[in-house]
Amino acid sequence: MCRNIKTLFNFEPPATDDEIRASALQFVRKLSGFNKPSQANAEAFDRAVAEVTASARRLLTSLHTHAPSRDRAIEAERARERSRLRFG
């Protein structure tokens, strides 16, 4: 799976529209193999990003959990530590 797609569920504060769209954009890029589509494919590419964004937003708003919300700063620090251990 694409490493740039981050978990967006169960964070405080909740994921923003920009974060959801960025995740959708990465997903569509991965599926299509295009970083930036040609003019001939731009409309289909943009439509796919919009549809995936809408689906992701619906998914995130419909999920429920009893687990406490995760803190973004703590999760970012954990990711930095994992990276430090992995890459030195």
Side-chain angles (χ1 to χ4, degrees), residues 3 79-88:
R3 288 186 222 171
R80 282 190 292 277
E81 181 62 20
R82 283 191 305 271
S83 178
R84 187 188 67 74
L85 291 173
R86 182 174 179 192
F87 300 111

Side-chain angles (χ1 to χ4, degrees), residues 1-7 23 26-27 30 86-87:
M1 191 58 171
C2 188
R3 288 186 222 171
N4 292 334
I5 299 176
K6 307 294 184 206
T7 301
S23 182
Q26 287 296 324
F27 182 72
K30 185 70 168 185
R86 182 174 179 192
F87 300 111

